[in-house]
Amino acid sequence: MSRRGDWVYENNGGTCVAIAGADYCVVAADTRLSVGYNILTRDHSKICELADKCALASSGFQGDIKALHKNLAARELLYQHQHNKRMSCPAMAQLLSNTLYYKRFFPYYAFNVLGGLDSEGKGCVFTYDAVGSYERTGYSAQGTGSALIMPVLDNQLKSPSPLLLPARDAVTPLSETEAVDLVKDVFASATERDIYTGDKLEIVVINKAGTKREYIDLRKD
Amino acid sequence: MSIFEYNGSAVVAMVGKNCFAIASDRRLGVQLQTVATDFQRVFKIHDKLYIGLSGLATDAQTLYQRLVFRHKLYQLREERDMKPQTFASLVSALLYEKRFGPYFCQPVIAGLGEDNEPFICTMDCIGAKELAKDFVVSGTASESLYGACESMYKPNMEPEELFETISQALQSSVDRDCLSGWGGFVLLVTPTEVKECVIKGRMD
């Protein structure tokens, strides 16, 4: 903080998407890591499983993201020892917000989507800005391809307005397999037009049986 | 903020089976303030040729007037309508005339040519043509439109399906863009008829 040079941040690109359903959550991100017009690696995971029912996908500056994930994993371990249980997804959401806001004036350059199951076993998605402002939603997209993906998710999933009274559930009506197929579709489309998205798609599906990871090939150009 | 984003706009054109559709939003704003909600950005050149002009509204209107003027002179001299390809070259030439003080517009041209072959193309503000076989987009909502069209478009759609697709793509895109929206204008052109439609949308 005291000796901040000109070189502080870089954008390593990448796109993160999460969709919450009645009893599942899908968190997905591509595995490309780039700087400018160069690809550093085609096989870099952006998704971190922070607790048993909680996965965080982040794009932005991978240096900051690595530090952030490490920080959160350490805090989750402390929580386990103090409370003798794993952290819930909404608790992790609040912790992530606080962690981001703690660095309000020298932020983590990270755009996060947190997905998982809440204490009732319902799917939940939390979406963030770089300084910790967050919202619970039914679906979200973050990163370089978010502008391409978000209108398609709106079109297919159409969440109820947060202003409606009484408050409605934000979870999407799709089944788990339909949601996974939708994620594959939107990434295939984003990969066509966004140079920072591609190579491989990593999908984490969280349901009451546990979590499973799946990989799908995307375009490599 | 860029001068291209001063008024806000969204224009898209798609090709179907022996037909095409061109659509735009209807908002005219001054930065974030909405001034009009019935603004036309898609203009008719002749029965089977249309141009959508995104970008600075005043330049869009001026450019349209010059294009109509040039097309009328062409009609008088040649006693026929212009082919879309010819018209695209005309637009490109008019824009490049102002290479160092450009019109701040990004045109989208769509038409039916000889044998009712659909033609769509877009260009930048100094006339670099970009022809496409599927769809073209321009305006402040272009990134959203790319995403929506890339997901929703498929080749060789019939007119009815093309109309639905372009309307859905336009609506979902402008709803994620602050500077465009307030309903849409969709034009569907087949060899035999032209369907004009104003669609309602979110008013924010």
Side-chain angles (χ1 to χ4, degrees), chain A residues 139 144 147-152 154-156 185-186 188-190 192-193, chain B residues 134-135 143-152 168-169 172-173 175-176:
Chain A
Y139 57 88
T144 50
L148 291 99
I149 289 178
M150 213 50 201
V152 184
D154 287 337
N155 186 262
Q156 297 292 309
D185 278 356
V186 295
S189 301
E192 293 284 323
R193 297 280 175 178
Chain B
D134 42 9
F135 56 83
E143 214 181 328
S144 311
L145 279 165
Y146 269 126
C149 293
E150 197 66 61
S151 298
M152 296 175 189
Q168 292 279 343
S172 40
S173 301
D175 285 351
R176 281 284 168 183

PDB file of all heavy atoms in Angstrom, chain A residues 139 144 147-152 154-156 185-186 188-190 192-193, chain B residues 134-135 143-152 168-169 172-173 175-176:
ATOM      1  N   TYR A 139     -29.568 -15.822 -11.002  1.00  0.00           N
ATOM      2  CA  TYR A 139     -28.522 -16.147 -11.976  1.00  0.00           C
ATOM      3  C   TYR A 139     -27.651 -14.927 -12.144  1.00  0.00           C
ATOM      4  O   TYR A 139     -28.089 -13.800 -11.855  1.00  0.00           O
ATOM      5  CB  TYR A 139     -29.125 -16.541 -13.318  1.00  0.00           C
ATOM      6  CG  TYR A 139     -30.023 -15.493 -13.903  1.00  0.00           C
ATOM      7  CD1 TYR A 139     -29.511 -14.480 -14.710  1.00  0.00           C
ATOM      8  CD2 TYR A 139     -31.383 -15.480 -13.642  1.00  0.00           C
ATOM      9  CE1 TYR A 139     -30.327 -13.502 -15.237  1.00  0.00           C
ATOM     10  CE2 TYR A 139     -32.212 -14.499 -14.164  1.00  0.00           C
ATOM     11  CZ  TYR A 139     -31.678 -13.520 -14.965  1.00  0.00           C
ATOM     12  OH  TYR A 139     -32.482 -12.544 -15.478  1.00  0.00           O
ATOM     13  N   THR A 144     -15.331 -10.720 -18.593  1.00  0.00           N
ATOM     14  CA  THR A 144     -15.239 -10.067 -19.907  1.00  0.00           C
ATOM     15  C   THR A 144     -16.410 -10.405 -20.828  1.00  0.00           C
ATOM     16  O   THR A 144     -16.763  -9.606 -21.675  1.00  0.00           O
ATOM     17  CB  THR A 144     -13.932 -10.462 -20.615  1.00  0.00           C
ATOM     18  OG1 THR A 144     -13.797 -11.882 -20.584  1.00  0.00           O
ATOM     19  CG2 THR A 144     -12.733  -9.844 -19.939  1.00  0.00           C
ATOM     20  N   ALA A 147     -21.367  -9.024 -20.695  1.00  0.00           N
ATOM     21  CA  ALA A 147     -22.307  -8.229 -21.502  1.00  0.00           C
ATOM     22  C   ALA A 147     -22.937  -9.072 -22.607  1.00  0.00           C
ATOM     23  O   ALA A 147     -24.059  -8.802 -23.035  1.00  0.00           O
ATOM     24  CB  ALA A 147     -21.595  -7.024 -22.103  1.00  0.00           C
ATOM     25  N   LEU A 148     -22.211 -10.095 -23.079  1.00  0.00           N
ATOM     26  CA  LEU A 148     -22.763 -10.951 -24.125  1.00  0.00           C
ATOM     27  C   LEU A 148     -23.725 -11.985 -23.544  1.00  0.00           C
ATOM     28  O   LEU A 148     -24.681 -12.393 -24.200  1.00  0.00           O
ATOM     29  CB  LEU A 148     -21.635 -11.669 -24.880  1.00  0.00           C
ATOM     30  CG  LEU A 148     -20.748 -10.787 -25.756  1.00  0.00           C
ATOM     31  CD1 LEU A 148     -19.465 -10.450 -25.045  1.00  0.00           C
ATOM     32  CD2 LEU A 148     -20.458 -11.452 -27.065  1.00  0.00           C
ATOM     33  N   ILE A 149     -23.460 -12.425 -22.327  1.00  0.00           N
ATOM     34  CA  ILE A 149     -24.223 -13.530 -21.754  1.00  0.00           C
ATOM     35  C   ILE A 149     -25.479 -13.058 -21.017  1.00  0.00           C
ATOM     36  O   ILE A 149     -26.535 -13.671 -21.103  1.00  0.00           O
ATOM     37  CB  ILE A 149     -23.314 -14.354 -20.812  1.00  0.00           C
ATOM     38  CG1 ILE A 149     -22.292 -15.121 -21.650  1.00  0.00           C
ATOM     39  CG2 ILE A 149     -24.109 -15.296 -19.943  1.00  0.00           C
ATOM     40  CD1 ILE A 149     -21.326 -15.924 -20.844  1.00  0.00           C
ATOM     41  N   MET A 150     -25.366 -11.934 -20.315  1.00  0.00           N
ATOM     42  CA  MET A 150     -26.450 -11.496 -19.429  1.00  0.00           C
ATOM     43  C   MET A 150     -27.805 -11.342 -20.136  1.00  0.00           C
ATOM     44  O   MET A 150     -28.816 -11.832 -19.621  1.00  0.00           O
ATOM     45  CB  MET A 150     -26.035 -10.190 -18.737  1.00  0.00           C
ATOM     46  CG  MET A 150     -26.569 -10.029 -17.355  1.00  0.00           C
ATOM     47  SD  MET A 150     -26.290 -11.438 -16.293  1.00  0.00           S
ATOM     48  CE  MET A 150     -27.528 -11.157 -15.073  1.00  0.00           C
ATOM     49  N   PRO A 151     -27.876 -10.683 -21.317  1.00  0.00           N
ATOM     50  CA  PRO A 151     -29.188 -10.567 -21.972  1.00  0.00           C
ATOM     51  C   PRO A 151     -29.802 -11.916 -22.330  1.00  0.00           C
ATOM     52  O   PRO A 151     -31.030 -12.054 -22.301  1.00  0.00           O
ATOM     53  CB  PRO A 151     -28.896  -9.752 -23.233  1.00  0.00           C
ATOM     54  CG  PRO A 151     -27.464  -9.592 -23.326  1.00  0.00           C
ATOM     55  CD  PRO A 151     -26.840  -9.926 -22.032  1.00  0.00           C
ATOM     56  N   VAL A 152     -28.964 -12.894 -22.641  1.00  0.00           N
ATOM     57  CA  VAL A 152     -29.484 -14.225 -22.984  1.00  0.00           C
ATOM     58  C   VAL A 152     -30.059 -14.902 -21.745  1.00  0.00           C
ATOM     59  O   VAL A 152     -31.129 -15.522 -21.796  1.00  0.00           O
ATOM     60  CB  VAL A 152     -28.377 -15.101 -23.611  1.00  0.00           C
ATOM     61  CG1 VAL A 152     -28.953 -16.430 -24.059  1.00  0.00           C
ATOM     62  CG2 VAL A 152     -27.734 -14.387 -24.780  1.00  0.00           C
ATOM     63  N   ASP A 154     -31.236 -13.314 -19.133  1.00  0.00           N
ATOM     64  CA  ASP A 154     -32.485 -12.569 -18.878  1.00  0.00           C
ATOM     65  C   ASP A 154     -33.615 -13.149 -19.717  1.00  0.00           C
ATOM     66  O   ASP A 154     -34.722 -13.370 -19.233  1.00  0.00           O
ATOM     67  CB  ASP A 154     -32.330 -11.090 -19.256  1.00  0.00           C
ATOM     68  CG  ASP A 154     -31.467 -10.325 -18.274  1.00  0.00           C
ATOM     69  OD1 ASP A 154     -31.360 -10.774 -17.120  1.00  0.00           O
ATOM     70  OD2 ASP A 154     -30.920  -9.291 -18.657  1.00  0.00           O
ATOM     71  N   ASN A 155     -33.315 -13.356 -20.993  1.00  0.00           N
ATOM     72  CA  ASN A 155     -34.325 -13.831 -21.926  1.00  0.00           C
ATOM     73  C   ASN A 155     -34.830 -15.223 -21.563  1.00  0.00           C
ATOM     74  O   ASN A 155     -36.017 -15.508 -21.678  1.00  0.00           O
ATOM     75  CB  ASN A 155     -33.732 -13.839 -23.342  1.00  0.00           C
ATOM     76  CG  ASN A 155     -34.761 -14.168 -24.391  1.00  0.00           C
ATOM     77  OD1 ASN A 155     -34.856 -15.300 -24.833  1.00  0.00           O
ATOM     78  ND2 ASN A 155     -35.555 -13.182 -24.759  1.00  0.00           N
ATOM     79  N   GLN A 156     -33.936 -16.093 -21.129  1.00  0.00           N
ATOM     80  CA  GLN A 156     -34.309 -17.483 -20.852  1.00  0.00           C
ATOM     81  C   GLN A 156     -34.838 -17.684 -19.438  1.00  0.00           C
ATOM     82  O   GLN A 156     -35.634 -18.587 -19.200  1.00  0.00           O
ATOM     83  CB  GLN A 156     -33.093 -18.400 -21.063  1.00  0.00           C
ATOM     84  CG  GLN A 156     -32.582 -18.420 -22.485  1.00  0.00           C
ATOM     85  CD  GLN A 156     -33.562 -19.071 -23.437  1.00  0.00           C
ATOM     86  OE1 GLN A 156     -34.043 -20.174 -23.192  1.00  0.00           O
ATOM     87  NE2 GLN A 156     -33.895 -18.374 -24.507  1.00  0.00           N
ATOM     88  N   ASP A 185     -24.501 -23.546 -23.679  1.00  0.00           N
ATOM     89  CA  ASP A 185     -24.911 -22.737 -24.840  1.00  0.00           C
ATOM     90  C   ASP A 185     -24.383 -21.312 -24.756  1.00  0.00           C
ATOM     91  O   ASP A 185     -23.812 -20.799 -25.720  1.00  0.00           O
ATOM     92  CB  ASP A 185     -26.443 -22.691 -24.940  1.00  0.00           C
ATOM     93  CG  ASP A 185     -27.007 -23.921 -25.618  1.00  0.00           C
ATOM     94  OD1 ASP A 185     -26.194 -24.759 -26.065  1.00  0.00           O
ATOM     95  OD2 ASP A 185     -28.237 -24.051 -25.700  1.00  0.00           O
ATOM     96  N   VAL A 186     -24.586 -20.670 -23.602  1.00  0.00           N
ATOM     97  CA  VAL A 186     -24.183 -19.257 -23.522  1.00  0.00           C
ATOM     98  C   VAL A 186     -22.671 -19.115 -23.604  1.00  0.00           C
ATOM     99  O   VAL A 186     -22.167 -18.146 -24.187  1.00  0.00           O
ATOM    100  CB  VAL A 186     -24.731 -18.551 -22.256  1.00  0.00           C
ATOM    101  CG1 VAL A 186     -26.241 -18.478 -22.290  1.00  0.00           C
ATOM    102  CG2 VAL A 186     -24.234 -19.170 -20.972  1.00  0.00           C
ATOM    103  N   ALA A 188     -20.667 -21.162 -25.317  1.00  0.00           N
ATOM    104  CA  ALA A 188     -20.317 -21.387 -26.724  1.00  0.00           C
ATOM    105  C   ALA A 188     -20.532 -20.105 -27.522  1.00  0.00           C
ATOM    106  O   ALA A 188     -19.716 -19.746 -28.379  1.00  0.00           O
ATOM    107  CB  ALA A 188     -21.154 -22.522 -27.289  1.00  0.00           C
ATOM    108  N   SER A 189     -21.624 -19.376 -27.219  1.00  0.00           N
ATOM    109  CA  SER A 189     -21.902 -18.118 -27.927  1.00  0.00           C
ATOM    110  C   SER A 189     -20.908 -17.039 -27.549  1.00  0.00           C
ATOM    111  O   SER A 189     -20.396 -16.330 -28.421  1.00  0.00           O
ATOM    112  CB  SER A 189     -23.314 -17.640 -27.610  1.00  0.00           C
ATOM    113  OG  SER A 189     -24.256 -18.601 -27.990  1.00  0.00           O
ATOM    114  N   ALA A 190     -20.615 -16.893 -26.257  1.00  0.00           N
ATOM    115  CA  ALA A 190     -19.690 -15.847 -25.812  1.00  0.00           C
ATOM    116  C   ALA A 190     -18.301 -16.083 -26.392  1.00  0.00           C
ATOM    117  O   ALA A 190     -17.601 -15.133 -26.766  1.00  0.00           O
ATOM    118  CB  ALA A 190     -19.626 -15.806 -24.292  1.00  0.00           C
ATOM    119  N   GLU A 192     -17.552 -17.217 -29.224  1.00  0.00           N
ATOM    120  CA  GLU A 192     -17.495 -16.777 -30.614  1.00  0.00           C
ATOM    121  C   GLU A 192     -17.040 -15.324 -30.738  1.00  0.00           C
ATOM    122  O   GLU A 192     -16.386 -14.958 -31.706  1.00  0.00           O
ATOM    123  CB  GLU A 192     -18.885 -16.902 -31.260  1.00  0.00           C
ATOM    124  CG  GLU A 192     -19.393 -18.314 -31.428  1.00  0.00           C
ATOM    125  CD  GLU A 192     -18.718 -19.026 -32.586  1.00  0.00           C
ATOM    126  OE1 GLU A 192     -18.455 -18.376 -33.612  1.00  0.00           O
ATOM    127  OE2 GLU A 192     -18.450 -20.225 -32.447  1.00  0.00           O
ATOM    128  N   ARG A 193     -17.431 -14.479 -29.761  1.00  0.00           N
ATOM    129  CA  ARG A 193     -17.193 -13.032 -29.922  1.00  0.00           C
ATOM    130  C   ARG A 193     -16.233 -12.437 -28.915  1.00  0.00           C
ATOM    131  O   ARG A 193     -15.751 -11.321 -29.126  1.00  0.00           O
ATOM    132  CB  ARG A 193     -18.535 -12.285 -29.817  1.00  0.00           C
ATOM    133  CG  ARG A 193     -19.537 -12.636 -30.887  1.00  0.00           C
ATOM    134  CD  ARG A 193     -19.255 -11.914 -32.177  1.00  0.00           C
ATOM    135  NE  ARG A 193     -20.175 -12.366 -33.217  1.00  0.00           N
ATOM    136  CZ  ARG A 193     -20.180 -11.876 -34.456  1.00  0.00           C
ATOM    137  NH1 ARG A 193     -19.349 -10.931 -34.823  1.00  0.00           N
ATOM    138  NH2 ARG A 193     -21.027 -12.349 -35.337  1.00  0.00           N
TER     139      ARG A 193
ATOM    140  N   ASP B 134     -25.006 -13.615 -41.703  1.00  0.00           N
ATOM    141  CA  ASP B 134     -26.010 -13.923 -40.683  1.00  0.00           C
ATOM    142  C   ASP B 134     -26.668 -12.678 -40.091  1.00  0.00           C
ATOM    143  O   ASP B 134     -27.814 -12.389 -40.358  1.00  0.00           O
ATOM    144  CB  ASP B 134     -25.397 -14.806 -39.594  1.00  0.00           C
ATOM    145  CG  ASP B 134     -23.994 -14.353 -39.201  1.00  0.00           C
ATOM    146  OD1 ASP B 134     -23.576 -13.261 -39.641  1.00  0.00           O
ATOM    147  OD2 ASP B 134     -23.331 -15.084 -38.443  1.00  0.00           O
ATOM    148  N   PHE B 135     -25.929 -11.927 -39.281  1.00  0.00           N
ATOM    149  CA  PHE B 135     -26.513 -10.738 -38.653  1.00  0.00           C
ATOM    150  C   PHE B 135     -25.455  -9.664 -38.456  1.00  0.00           C
ATOM    151  O   PHE B 135     -24.260  -9.970 -38.424  1.00  0.00           O
ATOM    152  CB  PHE B 135     -27.144 -11.092 -37.300  1.00  0.00           C
ATOM    153  CG  PHE B 135     -26.191 -11.757 -36.346  1.00  0.00           C
ATOM    154  CD1 PHE B 135     -25.316 -11.003 -35.575  1.00  0.00           C
ATOM    155  CD2 PHE B 135     -26.163 -13.128 -36.221  1.00  0.00           C
ATOM    156  CE1 PHE B 135     -24.435 -11.614 -34.703  1.00  0.00           C
ATOM    157  CE2 PHE B 135     -25.277 -13.756 -35.350  1.00  0.00           C
ATOM    158  CZ  PHE B 135     -24.410 -12.997 -34.583  1.00  0.00           C
ATOM    159  N   GLU B 143     -22.700  -4.753 -27.860  1.00  0.00           N
ATOM    160  CA  GLU B 143     -22.107  -5.931 -27.217  1.00  0.00           C
ATOM    161  C   GLU B 143     -23.195  -6.902 -26.751  1.00  0.00           C
ATOM    162  O   GLU B 143     -23.101  -8.114 -26.975  1.00  0.00           O
ATOM    163  CB  GLU B 143     -21.236  -5.507 -26.035  1.00  0.00           C
ATOM    164  CG  GLU B 143     -20.029  -6.400 -25.863  1.00  0.00           C
ATOM    165  CD  GLU B 143     -19.167  -5.993 -24.674  1.00  0.00           C
ATOM    166  OE1 GLU B 143     -19.106  -4.779 -24.364  1.00  0.00           O
ATOM    167  OE2 GLU B 143     -18.573  -6.874 -24.048  1.00  0.00           O
ATOM    168  N   SER B 144     -24.242  -6.359 -26.129  1.00  0.00           N
ATOM    169  CA  SER B 144     -25.366  -7.207 -25.722  1.00  0.00           C
ATOM    170  C   SER B 144     -26.000  -7.866 -26.941  1.00  0.00           C
ATOM    171  O   SER B 144     -26.389  -9.033 -26.898  1.00  0.00           O
ATOM    172  CB  SER B 144     -26.428  -6.377 -25.007  1.00  0.00           C
ATOM    173  OG  SER B 144     -25.867  -5.590 -24.018  1.00  0.00           O
ATOM    174  N   LEU B 145     -26.123  -7.082 -28.017  1.00  0.00           N
ATOM    175  CA  LEU B 145     -26.744  -7.619 -29.237  1.00  0.00           C
ATOM    176  C   LEU B 145     -25.916  -8.753 -29.826  1.00  0.00           C
ATOM    177  O   LEU B 145     -26.475  -9.755 -30.290  1.00  0.00           O
ATOM    178  CB  LEU B 145     -26.925  -6.514 -30.268  1.00  0.00           C
ATOM    179  CG  LEU B 145     -28.157  -5.624 -30.079  1.00  0.00           C
ATOM    180  CD1 LEU B 145     -28.044  -4.364 -30.918  1.00  0.00           C
ATOM    181  CD2 LEU B 145     -29.432  -6.366 -30.442  1.00  0.00           C
ATOM    182  N   TYR B 146     -24.600  -8.610 -29.808  1.00  0.00           N
ATOM    183  CA  TYR B 146     -23.742  -9.699 -30.285  1.00  0.00           C
ATOM    184  C   TYR B 146     -24.033 -10.974 -29.496  1.00  0.00           C
ATOM    185  O   TYR B 146     -24.191 -12.049 -30.075  1.00  0.00           O
ATOM    186  CB  TYR B 146     -22.264  -9.339 -30.139  1.00  0.00           C
ATOM    187  CG  TYR B 146     -21.669  -8.660 -31.344  1.00  0.00           C
ATOM    188  CD1 TYR B 146     -21.014  -7.447 -31.232  1.00  0.00           C
ATOM    189  CD2 TYR B 146     -21.757  -9.247 -32.603  1.00  0.00           C
ATOM    190  CE1 TYR B 146     -20.456  -6.817 -32.332  1.00  0.00           C
ATOM    191  CE2 TYR B 146     -21.207  -8.625 -33.708  1.00  0.00           C
ATOM    192  CZ  TYR B 146     -20.553  -7.409 -33.563  1.00  0.00           C
ATOM    193  OH  TYR B 146     -20.019  -6.797 -34.665  1.00  0.00           O
ATOM    194  N   GLY B 147     -24.094 -10.855 -28.185  1.00  0.00           N
ATOM    195  CA  GLY B 147     -24.358 -12.021 -27.340  1.00  0.00           C
ATOM    196  C   GLY B 147     -25.706 -12.628 -27.625  1.00  0.00           C
ATOM    197  O   GLY B 147     -25.835 -13.847 -27.818  1.00  0.00           O
ATOM    198  N   ALA B 148     -26.735 -11.778 -27.687  1.00  0.00           N
ATOM    199  CA  ALA B 148     -28.102 -12.266 -27.910  1.00  0.00           C
ATOM    200  C   ALA B 148     -28.239 -12.894 -29.291  1.00  0.00           C
ATOM    201  O   ALA B 148     -28.778 -13.997 -29.436  1.00  0.00           O
ATOM    202  CB  ALA B 148     -29.094 -11.123 -27.738  1.00  0.00           C
ATOM    203  N   CYS B 149     -27.739 -12.204 -30.331  1.00  0.00           N
ATOM    204  CA  CYS B 149     -27.868 -12.728 -31.700  1.00  0.00           C
ATOM    205  C   CYS B 149     -27.064 -14.015 -31.861  1.00  0.00           C
ATOM    206  O   CYS B 149     -27.525 -14.965 -32.497  1.00  0.00           O
ATOM    207  CB  CYS B 149     -27.385 -11.700 -32.718  1.00  0.00           C
ATOM    208  SG  CYS B 149     -28.410 -10.249 -32.813  1.00  0.00           S
ATOM    209  N   GLU B 150     -25.877 -14.060 -31.288  1.00  0.00           N
ATOM    210  CA  GLU B 150     -25.038 -15.256 -31.402  1.00  0.00           C
ATOM    211  C   GLU B 150     -25.754 -16.472 -30.810  1.00  0.00           C
ATOM    212  O   GLU B 150     -25.626 -17.580 -31.309  1.00  0.00           O
ATOM    213  CB  GLU B 150     -23.708 -15.003 -30.678  1.00  0.00           C
ATOM    214  CG  GLU B 150     -22.593 -15.950 -31.043  1.00  0.00           C
ATOM    215  CD  GLU B 150     -22.130 -15.804 -32.483  1.00  0.00           C
ATOM    216  OE1 GLU B 150     -21.655 -14.723 -32.865  1.00  0.00           O
ATOM    217  OE2 GLU B 150     -22.258 -16.801 -33.207  1.00  0.00           O
ATOM    218  N   SER B 151     -26.537 -16.253 -29.745  1.00  0.00           N
ATOM    219  CA  SER B 151     -27.263 -17.364 -29.126  1.00  0.00           C
ATOM    220  C   SER B 151     -28.563 -17.698 -29.850  1.00  0.00           C
ATOM    221  O   SER B 151     -28.975 -18.855 -29.898  1.00  0.00           O
ATOM    222  CB  SER B 151     -27.600 -17.035 -27.674  1.00  0.00           C
ATOM    223  OG  SER B 151     -26.444 -16.844 -26.937  1.00  0.00           O
ATOM    224  N   MET B 152     -29.254 -16.692 -30.363  1.00  0.00           N
ATOM    225  CA  MET B 152     -30.613 -16.914 -30.879  1.00  0.00           C
ATOM    226  C   MET B 152     -30.671 -17.148 -32.378  1.00  0.00           C
ATOM    227  O   MET B 152     -31.606 -17.770 -32.875  1.00  0.00           O
ATOM    228  CB  MET B 152     -31.492 -15.708 -30.540  1.00  0.00           C
ATOM    229  CG  MET B 152     -31.681 -15.505 -29.051  1.00  0.00           C
ATOM    230  SD  MET B 152     -32.602 -14.003 -28.717  1.00  0.00           S
ATOM    231  CE  MET B 152     -32.425 -13.899 -26.942  1.00  0.00           C
ATOM    232  N   GLN B 168     -36.947 -10.618 -30.017  1.00  0.00           N
ATOM    233  CA  GLN B 168     -36.458 -11.093 -28.716  1.00  0.00           C
ATOM    234  C   GLN B 168     -35.024 -10.638 -28.477  1.00  0.00           C
ATOM    235  O   GLN B 168     -34.675 -10.193 -27.373  1.00  0.00           O
ATOM    236  CB  GLN B 168     -36.523 -12.631 -28.653  1.00  0.00           C
ATOM    237  CG  GLN B 168     -37.910 -13.204 -28.634  1.00  0.00           C
ATOM    238  CD  GLN B 168     -38.556 -13.180 -27.260  1.00  0.00           C
ATOM    239  OE1 GLN B 168     -37.875 -13.027 -26.256  1.00  0.00           O
ATOM    240  NE2 GLN B 168     -39.859 -13.299 -27.215  1.00  0.00           N
ATOM    241  N   ALA B 169     -34.192 -10.752 -29.514  1.00  0.00           N
ATOM    242  CA  ALA B 169     -32.784 -10.352 -29.373  1.00  0.00           C
ATOM    243  C   ALA B 169     -32.687  -8.864 -29.051  1.00  0.00           C
ATOM    244  O   ALA B 169     -31.928  -8.454 -28.157  1.00  0.00           O
ATOM    245  CB  ALA B 169     -32.015 -10.668 -30.651  1.00  0.00           C
ATOM    246  N   SER B 172     -34.192  -8.111 -25.307  1.00  0.00           N
ATOM    247  CA  SER B 172     -33.354  -8.520 -24.183  1.00  0.00           C
ATOM    248  C   SER B 172     -32.045  -7.738 -24.155  1.00  0.00           C
ATOM    249  O   SER B 172     -31.487  -7.491 -23.090  1.00  0.00           O
ATOM    250  CB  SER B 172     -33.121 -10.026 -24.190  1.00  0.00           C
ATOM    251  OG  SER B 172     -32.905 -10.499 -25.474  1.00  0.00           O
ATOM    252  N   SER B 173     -31.561  -7.312 -25.319  1.00  0.00           N
ATOM    253  CA  SER B 173     -30.304  -6.546 -25.343  1.00  0.00           C
ATOM    254  C   SER B 173     -30.480  -5.139 -24.810  1.00  0.00           C
ATOM    255  O   SER B 173     -29.672  -4.678 -24.000  1.00  0.00           O
ATOM    256  CB  SER B 173     -29.760  -6.463 -26.763  1.00  0.00           C
ATOM    257  OG  SER B 173     -29.546  -7.732 -27.266  1.00  0.00           O
ATOM    258  N   ASP B 175     -32.612  -4.038 -22.797  1.00  0.00           N
ATOM    259  CA  ASP B 175     -32.924  -4.014 -21.367  1.00  0.00           C
ATOM    260  C   ASP B 175     -31.668  -4.062 -20.508  1.00  0.00           C
ATOM    261  O   ASP B 175     -31.720  -3.760 -19.317  1.00  0.00           O
ATOM    262  CB  ASP B 175     -33.842  -5.187 -21.008  1.00  0.00           C
ATOM    263  CG  ASP B 175     -35.270  -4.947 -21.482  1.00  0.00           C
ATOM    264  OD1 ASP B 175     -35.544  -3.805 -21.919  1.00  0.00           O
ATOM    265  OD2 ASP B 175     -36.087  -5.873 -21.434  1.00  0.00           O
ATOM    266  N   ARG B 176     -30.541  -4.453 -21.071  1.00  0.00           N
ATOM    267  CA  ARG B 176     -29.270  -4.436 -20.340  1.00  0.00           C
ATOM    268  C   ARG B 176     -28.419  -3.232 -20.722  1.00  0.00           C
ATOM    269  O   ARG B 176     -27.261  -3.157 -20.339  1.00  0.00           O
ATOM    270  CB  ARG B 176     -28.495  -5.727 -20.601  1.00  0.00           C
ATOM    271  CG  ARG B 176     -28.985  -6.896 -19.791  1.00  0.00           C
ATOM    272  CD  ARG B 176     -28.520  -6.812 -18.347  1.00  0.00           C
ATOM    273  NE  ARG B 176     -29.217  -7.775 -17.507  1.00  0.00           N
ATOM    274  CZ  ARG B 176     -29.046  -7.868 -16.181  1.00  0.00           C
ATOM    275  NH1 ARG B 176     -28.207  -7.068 -15.561  1.00  0.00           N
ATOM    276  NH2 ARG B 176     -29.718  -8.743 -15.494  1.00  0.00           N
TER     277      ARG B 176
END
